[in-house]
Amino acid sequence: LGHHGKHIHAGEELEPAVSITRDGKDVGDIQVFNSLLSSDGNAVLAQEVATVFEPETDDEIAHYAQGGLQIPAGARQVLVRFRIVPNGGEEVVYDLPIQLE
């Protein structure tokens, strides 16, 4: 669980990213969604969007991304909520706190 970019600022777009493997191999056939919440998790700041699987390249490992989320101006910290829905399995949810610069 993570995001593209090194420096994340309020008022900009954040692109969450997730790499998922099973038995050491990339998993590209599940659904991954992300949304943006307040740091306490009580307020939705950006509605859930679907991500896209990006196969491995010479520059990057395989991962799910392209689900950009707009960070509100003035925010200091946010939570990215990842919702992962495997085929035939139970969905799982992970929250990743992001400190903004």
Side-chain angles (χ1 to χ4, degrees):
L1 304 175
H3 54 80
H4 285 267
K6 293 184 182 190
H7 304 281
I8 309 301
H9 301 96
E12 295 181 353
E13 185 175 88
L14 171 68
E15 185 182 359
V18 179
S19 177
I20 301 173
T21 61
R22 181 183 306 124
D23 299 325
K25 297 183 183 198
D26 301 326
V27 177
D29 63 347
I30 63 176
Q31 295 179 317
V32 178
F33 304 91
N34 48 242
S35 58
L36 193 67
L37 289 85
S38 59
S39 61
D40 62 8
N42 291 327
V44 176
L45 305 176
Q47 294 295 318
E48 182 177 85
V49 294
T51 63
V52 175
F53 179 72
E54 298 178 7
E56 181 178 6
T57 67
D58 290 340
D59 297 324
E60 293 184 314
I61 62 171
H63 63 287
Y64 291 84
Q66 299 183 32
L69 303 168
Q70 185 66 37
I71 302 169
R76 294 193 171 278
Q77 184 176 12
V78 294
L79 287 179
V80 175
R81 176 160 290 163
F82 295 94
R83 187 168 65 90
I84 301 169
V85 185
N87 292 328
E90 284 190 42
E91 78 175 29
V92 293
V93 174
Y94 298 99
D95 288 344
L96 176 67
I98 305 287
Q99 187 69 40
L100 304 171
E101 295 184 19

